[in-house]
Amino acid sequence: MLATPATNASPAEGADGLLREAGEASARGEAAVMQSLIDRGLELEPGRADLLRERARAEWMLGNPAAAATCRAALARAPEDVAAWNLLGEILGATDPAAASEAWWRALDLDPDNPEASFHLGNRLRERGEHTAAIIHYERALSRAPGHPGILNNLGLALDETGDHARAEACYRQVLAVDPQHTGALANLANLLSLREAIQETIVVYNRLFAIRRDWPASVWIRRAMAQNRAQDLSGAIESYREAARLAPDDMQVQLHLGTLYVQQRRYADGEVSLQRALELDPGNRYALSMLAHARQQRCDWTGLDDLFAQIERALEGDDAETEFPCMPFATLAMPLSPLAQLHAAQRWSRTIARGPLPPRPAPDRAPDERLRVAFATWNMRDHPTMHLSLEFWEKIDHSRLEMFAYSLRADDDNPFQRRAKAAFEHFADVSQDSVAGIAQRIRDDRIAILVDRNGYTLNAREGIFALRPAPIQINCIGFPGTMGAPWYDYIFTDRFSLPEPLQRFYTERPLYMPHMAFPSDTTRLPTAPPPSRAACGLPEDGFVFCCFNTSYKILPEVFAVWMRLLAAVPGSVLWLLETSADVRGNLRGEAERAGIGPERLVFAPVVPVGEHVARNAAADLFLDTYPYGAHTTANDALLAGLPVLTCAGETLVSRIAGSQLAAIGLPELITGSFAEYEALALELARRPGLLRSYRERLAANRHTTPLFDMARYARDFEDAMERIWAEYLAQT
C-alpha cells in the first residue's frame, strides 16, 4: 500500500517523495505503479523536467509510443539533463538507431566520462561490428563504474571478437567474481573455454549455468552438447541435442549431430530416425547419406542400401569437390566403392579440417649422436584392435636406435593395455585434456622427427593436430586403412601387397613399404592353454564350421549370399559369427530364412576378453572374410590361433590386408580375386578335408618361420624404415 502524502506538506516535498517512490517501483519493474506516482507528482508540479523524464521512462517500460515525445518535452525544459539524454537513446534504440546514438553522444558532450552513455555507444558499435571502437567506449565506462558486471561482460564480447580471448576471459571471470549468478557471463565464458578446448572446465561452467535456469535457446543447448560430446559424455550430449531439436525442429545440423551421437552410442535405429530427418531438411546431404548407410550396415538392415550406395558413389565420383557436409570417410571404407571414390571422400573431408597454406615443417633438430625421435599419437590406448596388434612390437623396439614417444589422446584410466604401453615407451604423455594447438606445440617442443597417426578419420581422433604440422615427417599408419587425402601426411604405412604400385595414384601419401607386411601382431595374446572345445563354444561337435568374426557393418548382402549358398551346399555346416546386437542377430537370421537356410545354423559367439576370443578361433574349420572391408585384426587372430583364412582381394586397401597377412605367412593360395573364385575355393575346402588339413598344417609350421608373427624382425624393419625416410628427408632439405 502506497503512503498518502500529508496534507500539510509543501508541493515540492510531495513531488520529491513521489519521485523517490516511483524510483523504487521502477527498480521492482512495476511500471504502472511508477507512472501513477509520477502523474500525481505532475499534478503537484506541472511541467517539472525530472518528473517528465521519469514519466517517459514509465511509458517506455509500458510500451507507450508517447515515451519519446515525453522525454523530449523533459529535455526542452532541462537540455543539460544527462539522464534524460541517456533515456532518450534507450527509447529510440530499437526504432531509430541513428537518433539514439545522437542522444548518447549529446550525453557525452555534457559529461565526457558518463558510463551509461559510453556503455550504450559501445553496444551500438559492437552490434555494427566496430569492435575496437566499442572497446574504447566500454573502457571509458569502466573508468567511472569499475567492476560493473554489464559493462565487463560486453567488453568481454568485444574483446573476444577482436581475438583477444585472454582479456575476454578475464572480463567474464571478473563479472562472476562479483555476481556468480550472471548467466550472460557464464554462457560467454563457457563458449570461450570450449573454443580453447578447456573441456572439463567448460562442462563445469555449463553445469553452473543450467543450474540457474534451463530455458535457453537452441544455440546454447547445442554448444553445451558439443562440450559434452568432447568430454565423452555421449548420453548428456544426446539429451542436450534432443532439447535443441525440440526448440529448433528444422535445424538440419542438430539432426546430423544427434544422428551421429546415436550411432556412436550404438543406438543405430534412433540414429536412422535423426539422419532421415536431416535428409528431409537437406535432400542429398552427403554426410547424412553416408552415416545413414553406415547405421543400416551396423544393424545388417539392408533396406534401400543399394540405392544409398549408388547416391554416395555418384556424389563421390563427381568433380564437385566443395561441400559443407562431405561423406564420412570411415563409413565409405565398408561400401562397395571405387578407390577413386574413397580418395575423393578423404580429400573432401580433409578440407573441413584445414584450408589454405600449411604451417611450415619444423626445422630438422637432431644432434649427430642423438637417437631419432619417433612418436605415436592415438586415442586407442585401451582394449582396441590396434592395441591387440601393437604391444609386442612396441616392446621390441631397439631403444639404442629410436627414442620412442607416445601421446595418448584418451584420458588415463589405468587399463591393462595402457599400462603395458606405458612400460614400452620411454616417454608417455596423457594429452587428453590439452587443446589441439597445445598438443601440436608439445610435439614440436619434444623435437619429434617422425609422427605416426594411429587414428586417422576415426572416432575420437584429433585430426587438427596433424594439420598444424608439428613434426617434419607425418605418417598415416593402420588406424585408418585408406588414404587421408590430406597434404600434411607424407607417408601411408603399408606393404606391397596391400597397396600395389598400380593403385598408388589413389593415395595422396607416398607408400612407406614394409618389406613383408604392414600389420604387426602381439603374439602374447594367444593363451598357452589348449583351445576350447566346440561344445564349450556352443558349436555342434560334428559338421563343418565356417567362421567370420568381423564386425557386423562389414557384412554386405553379396558376401552373405555366398555364405548361404555354402551352407546349402555343405550339409550339417554352420556359420559362426560374432554377437553384436539383437538387431543384427534377428536381421541375419531373417536373411538366412529368406535364403532357405534354417536360422539355427547361424551361431553367435558372445564378446569375451581378447585372449579367450583369439583361442576360440581354433574351434572353427575355415574363416570366411568379408568384402570390400575385410578382416584385419580378426584375420590376425585367426591365423595366430591356427585357423586358415579365405579372403577376396580387390582394389581398395581395406580389401587387401588379410591377403597381405596370408602372403606373409606363406599361404597365398587362400587369396582369391573374385566372388566366384572365393565361393568355389571355400566349397572345395569344405568338401576336401585333406586339402584343408594341409593348409592348417602349413599354417602351424610357418607360424614360427615366416615374418607374420616375428615381432623382433618386424621391429627391426620398422627401425630401418624410420631411419631410411629420415635420411631421405635430410637429403632433400
Side-chain angles (χ1 to χ4, degrees):
M1 179 69 70
L2 294 172
T4 302
T7 55
N8 61 350
S10 69
E13 289 172 342
D16 287 343
L18 290 165
L19 185 61
R20 282 193 299 274
E21 288 188 52
E24 293 167 2
S26 175
R28 296 191 301 269
E30 298 172 353
V33 173
M34 177 187 178
Q35 181 168 316
S36 175
L37 291 164
I38 293 298
D39 286 348
R40 287 166 57 190
L42 285 168
E43 289 174 6
L44 295 172
E45 294 191 54
R48 180 171 156 178
D50 55 352
L51 289 170
L52 284 170
R53 180 191 69 216
E54 294 312 307
R55 179 179 172 81
R57 191 183 308 279
E59 289 172 340
W60 175 53
M61 292 170 67
L62 290 167
N64 188 333
T70 305
C71 194
R72 287 192 170 101
L75 284 165
R77 289 166 175 77
E80 296 187 356
D81 184 349
V82 173
W85 284 112
N86 278 326
L87 176 60
L88 181 61
E90 289 192 77
I91 293 169
L92 296 172
T95 58
D96 192 347
S101 294
E102 278 186 38
W104 290 318
W105 278 114
R106 180 69 177 129
L108 284 181
D109 287 341
L110 296 166
D111 179 7
D113 294 318
N114 182 266
E116 187 174 351
S118 289
F119 175 65
H120 287 303
L121 282 168
N123 289 344
R124 175 77 181 125
L125 290 162
R126 184 171 60 81
E127 289 162 6
R128 286 163 40 186
E130 299 177 38
H131 302 293
T132 302
I135 289 167
I136 294 169
H137 280 282
Y138 290 139
E139 289 174 336
R140 286 177 67 180
L142 283 172
S143 68
R144 284 272 292 274
H148 189 284
I151 301 171
L152 279 167
N153 183 64
N154 288 13
L155 173 59
L157 289 169
L159 289 165
D160 208 359
E161 290 290 346
T162 64
D164 194 345
H165 305 305
R167 282 187 65 202
E169 184 175 331
C171 286
Y172 302 141
R173 292 189 187 280
Q174 280 181 266
V175 174
L176 295 169
V178 174
D179 179 6
Q181 304 291 300
H182 194 291
T183 55
L186 283 168
N188 294 332
L189 178 60
N191 191 45
L192 191 149
L193 290 169
S194 179
L195 290 173
R196 72 171 175 85
E197 299 184 73
I199 299 302
Q200 294 306 319
E201 190 179 2
T202 303
I203 296 297
V204 169
V205 174
Y206 272 124
N207 288 344
R208 287 174 59 188
L209 178 66
F210 278 74
I212 297 168
R213 49 177 273 232
R214 297 179 66 82
D215 58 332
W216 292 104
S219 59
V220 178
W221 286 95
I222 290 167
R223 289 197 294 271
R224 184 193 197 206
M226 292 170 69
Q228 290 169 316
N229 184 26
R230 175 71 178 79
Q232 298 301 304
D233 178 11
L234 296 189
S235 296
I238 284 172
E239 289 310 306
S240 293
Y241 273 125
R242 286 181 63 182
E243 181 62 15
R246 185 186 70 81
L247 294 167
D250 295 333
D251 188 318
M252 185 274 297
Q253 292 195 52
V254 169
Q255 298 295 339
L256 278 187
H257 287 299
L258 188 54
T260 299
L261 285 173
Y262 279 133
V263 169
Q264 289 178 10
Q265 216 179 37
R266 301 183 181 181
R267 295 169 60 180
Y268 301 114
D270 290 331
E272 285 191 39
V273 172
S274 295
L275 293 164
Q276 286 174 320
R277 175 61 180 149
L279 284 167
E280 290 171 9
L281 296 166
D282 182 16
N285 183 292
R286 284 119 185 245
Y287 180 85
L289 286 170
S290 62
M291 288 301 291
L292 179 59
H294 186 63
R296 288 189 183 163
Q297 287 177 256
Q298 290 280 8
R299 297 173 60 226
C300 293
D301 175 3
W302 300 326
T303 308
L305 203 56
D306 286 343
D307 180 58
L308 286 171
F309 288 159
Q311 289 185 66
I312 292 164
E313 183 154 30
R314 285 195 299 272
L316 287 175
E317 293 200 337
D319 294 327
D320 52 335
E322 296 304 320
T323 176
E324 187 179 356
F325 302 104
C327 291
M328 204 287 188
F330 183 80
T332 66
L333 296 180
M335 300 177 188
L337 303 174
S338 68
L340 177 63
Q342 291 186 359
L343 169 62
H344 284 171
Q347 287 176 318
R348 293 168 193 180
W349 191 266
S350 75
R351 283 191 278 272
T352 68
I353 300 166
R355 295 177 182 269
L358 293 178
R361 301 172 192 259
D365 186 11
R366 180 189 179 194
D369 59 345
E370 188 176 40
R371 291 173 296 159
L372 186 64
R373 294 186 168 203
V374 177
F376 282 74
T378 180
W379 194 84
N380 294 327
M381 293 288 184
R382 60 191 175 99
D383 187 355
H384 184 271
T386 58
M387 286 294 283
H388 300 167
L389 297 174
S390 301
L391 288 167
E392 185 181 0
F393 147 57
W394 285 337
E395 289 166 344
K396 291 186 180 296
I397 289 291
D398 182 352
H399 293 288
S400 70
R401 297 182 72 185
L402 303 181
E403 186 173 358
M404 297 295 292
F405 291 70
Y407 299 100
S408 177
L409 307 176
R410 181 176 179 272
D412 189 341
D413 61 1
D414 197 37
N415 70 73
F417 296 91
Q418 187 185 61
R419 286 199 299 272
R420 198 169 153 195
K422 282 183 176 180
F425 285 92
E426 292 174 81
H427 310 277
F428 188 101
D430 175 356
V431 295
S432 60
Q433 302 307 308
D434 296 351
S435 67
V436 162
I439 297 168
Q441 188 57 52
R442 178 168 188 159
I443 293 168
R444 282 178 176 259
D445 293 343
D446 285 341
R447 298 186 297 112
I448 300 303
I450 301 172
L451 179 61
V452 180
D453 179 5
R454 266 300 187 89
N455 282 114
Y457 300 139
T458 59
L459 183 63
N460 301 310
R462 308 284 295 278
E463 301 105 319
I465 297 167
F466 306 92
L468 293 175
R469 263 288 180 202
I473 298 175
Q474 299 186 163
I475 302 174
N476 166 23
C477 178
I478 292 176
F480 183 80
T483 181
M484 296 292 287
W488 48 87
Y489 289 94
D490 303 289
Y491 292 96
I492 181 169
F493 194 81
T494 187
D495 57 67
R496 292 186 183 277
F497 184 91
S498 298
L499 203 174
E501 291 184 6
L503 297 179
Q504 287 183 15
R505 67 187 185 278
F506 300 115
Y507 295 78
T508 56
E509 311 94 333
R510 289 176 58 193
L512 175 53
Y513 286 128
M514 287 286 278
H516 304 292
M517 72 288 163
F519 268 51
S521 176
D522 179 7
T523 63
T524 68
R525 73 190 191 279
L526 179 64
T528 55
S533 66
R534 283 193 170 186
C537 295
L539 295 168
E541 289 293 346
D542 299 316
F544 196 90
V545 177
F546 295 105
C547 166
C548 182
F549 287 146
N550 291 355
T551 51
S552 57
Y553 68 87
K554 297 182 180 182
I555 302 173
L556 292 183
E558 193 171 4
V559 75
F560 190 78
V562 171
W563 294 350
M564 294 304 97
R565 290 196 294 271
L566 290 171
L567 291 182
V570 182
S573 62
V574 297
L575 176 62
W576 196 19
L577 302 169
L578 187 65
E579 176 77 83
T580 53
S581 72
D583 262 0
V584 168
R585 186 172 62 250
N587 286 334
L588 288 181
R589 283 184 166 160
E591 291 292 336
E593 283 192 283
R594 281 187 282 278
I597 300 297
E600 73 282 356
R601 294 179 68 184
L602 271 58
V603 180
F604 290 88
V607 175
V608 296
V610 60
E612 292 179 42
H613 170 68
V614 174
R616 69 183 173 186
N617 275 266
D621 291 301
L622 179 65
F623 188 108
L624 296 174
D625 200 5
T626 48
Y627 182 91
Y629 201 141
H632 296 176
T633 302
T634 46
N636 198 274
D637 293 338
L639 295 171
L640 184 60
L643 174 63
V645 173
L646 177 64
T647 192
C648 182
E651 289 190 309
T652 57
L653 183 64
V654 290
S655 72
R656 302 183 64 83
I657 288 170
S660 163
Q661 296 182 65
L662 287 165
I665 205 165
L667 291 173
E669 299 95 327
L670 297 180
I671 306 168
T672 66
S674 68
F675 276 136
E677 186 183 347
Y678 170 93
E679 184 174 352
L681 183 53
L683 187 58
E684 183 181 13
L685 292 170
R687 288 174 170 172
R688 294 180 57 191
L691 177 62
L692 181 60
R693 190 182 314 113
S694 71
Y695 285 126
R696 200 157 192 146
E697 290 169 354
R698 197 196 317 171
L699 177 56
N702 292 356
R703 161 78 173 74
H704 301 287
T705 58
T706 54
L708 183 62
F709 297 119
D710 186 346
M711 287 303 100
R713 179 191 295 191
Y714 184 95
R716 302 295 84 75
D717 291 341
F718 178 82
E719 294 154 13
D720 291 344
M722 296 302 101
E723 291 282 13
R724 182 177 71 253
I725 62 174
W726 183 250
E728 290 173 359
Y729 172 72
L730 291 180
Q732 294 167 2
T733 56

